[in-house]
Amino acid sequence: MAVRVQTENFDVGAEVNAMRLSHPNIGAIVSFVGQVRDLNDGDNVASMTLEHYPVMTEKSLESIVEQAKNRWAIEDALIVHRVGELKPQDQIVLVLVASAHRKDAFTACEFMMDYLKTEAPFWKKEQTPSGERWVEAKDSDDQAKSRWQQ
Amino acid sequence: MITVLYFARLKESLNYSTEEMELPEGVKTIAQLKTHLAKRGEAWAHLFNGKQTIRAAINHALVDDESAVKDGDEVGFFPPVTGG
């Protein structure tokens, strides 16, 4: 289980292979990759800056992994989140979850993304033709998280 | 002393990212600290008067307005998060 916050890009294939080969009892690996869109709320996005709260970010991501581990039978998990300046089609986030059977990995991956979206202290600022703007949090993300608490 | 950190939109509009301050007289919770900060001027009042959602962390854990603040704590204030 690991979390990383970094400015550098990540190699999805290399990360999946490293996890796959690390445990012979893994039967399934689910990956989620988030990338920067070129359009948001009707405006072209030229670039995006991601700010975070160092130390808290890592603790928050570790707590999300821990909660997933307590709820589902997962063998391994990895969260990599980038910060700093990113361009459209740059990768932002990677979540990998490994389990003996696919269902635990699918479900835990979705849980981890829903929690990351609403609890991990990252903030996006977009650069558009009409200037800079902070991205607003979405109610739909809070709703996505709340279904895990029922 | 407590350390207070501001992030994202807050850091920009206050032009402030971190400060050390004595825990003000009578301030025992996040809500009371927000009310105290709101008295600092227009930009502060705008953020901390309760009309905007400002989230808080104590010692790197998310907390709510009723959580207790004590001497030595690191308090972070920030808007709802937008990562992922």
Side-chain angles (χ1 to χ4, degrees):
Chain A
M1 312 273 172
V3 306
R4 301 203 311 259
V5 179
Q6 61 189 44
T7 52
E8 313 86 70
N9 197 8
F10 49 82
D11 181 337
V12 180
E15 301 290 355
V16 170
N17 270 332
M19 184 174 287
R20 191 173 60 77
L21 298 172
S22 65
H23 313 269
N25 55 341
I26 287 174
I29 294 180
V30 168
S31 66
F32 173 87
V33 179
Q35 75 164 357
V36 181
R37 279 193 308 271
D38 66 348
L39 196 74
N40 192 30
D41 288 335
D43 290 308
N44 290 312
V45 175
S47 65
M48 173 181 279
T49 311
L50 264 144
E51 183 182 330
H52 75 123
Y53 183 169
V55 185
M56 182 178 170
T57 318
E58 289 82 357
K59 281 192 183 177
S60 166
L61 297 178
E62 282 162 6
S63 157
I64 291 168
V65 169
E66 199 57 34
Q67 291 176 65
K69 207 172 79 178
N70 291 337
R71 287 181 71 159
W72 294 281
I74 61 178
E75 298 296 330
D76 203 357
L78 170 72
I79 303 178
V80 183
H81 203 299
R82 294 179 70 192
V83 292
E85 191 173 323
L86 298 172
K87 304 271 185 215
Q89 291 189 293
D90 278 350
Q91 303 183 116
I92 305 177
V93 60
L94 171 67
V95 175
L96 291 186
V97 189
S99 57
H101 304 283
R102 72 183 184 281
K103 192 156 192 308
D104 287 296
F106 270 127
T107 313
C109 187
E110 204 171 0
F111 167 90
M112 287 166 71
M113 268 314 296
D114 286 346
Y115 269 65
L116 187 154
K117 279 272 185 188
T118 48
E119 291 205 339
F122 294 101
W123 302 277
K124 287 175 182 152
K125 187 195 225 178
E126 294 172 338
Q127 285 80 41
T128 73
S130 47
E132 290 190 331
R133 66 183 184 200
W134 289 99
V135 173
E136 296 292 332
K138 291 191 188 79
D139 288 342
S140 57
D141 286 333
D142 288 327
Q143 286 156 15
K145 180 191 169 195
S146 67
R147 71 198 160 113
W148 300 104
Q149 296 162 326
Q150 285 158 13
Chain B
M1 295 284 271
I2 58 170
T3 306
V4 187
L5 287 82
Y6 306 91
F7 293 93
R9 190 159 46 77
L10 277 69
K11 180 169 74 179
E12 270 188 4
S13 53
L14 301 172
N15 205 14
Y16 233 85
S17 65
T18 178
E19 65 175 313
E20 303 265 324
M21 65 190 277
E22 291 292 342
L23 197 55
E25 188 76 24
V27 171
K28 294 186 171 58
T29 65
I30 290 292
Q32 288 165 345
L33 182 57
K34 284 180 173 177
T35 305
H36 172 82
L37 293 172
K39 293 175 189 153
R40 281 181 166 176
E42 202 177 327
W44 295 83
H46 181 67
L47 290 167
F48 290 106
N49 64 3
K51 289 186 181 143
Q52 297 197 35
T53 304
I54 302 295
R55 303 197 73 180
I58 296 178
N59 302 328
H60 309 116
L62 273 179
V63 295
D64 58 34
D65 273 358
E66 298 319 308
S67 298
V69 183
K70 58 179 193 318
D71 202 41
D73 280 346
E74 177 178 310
V75 178
F77 285 115
F78 42 83
V81 303
T82 56

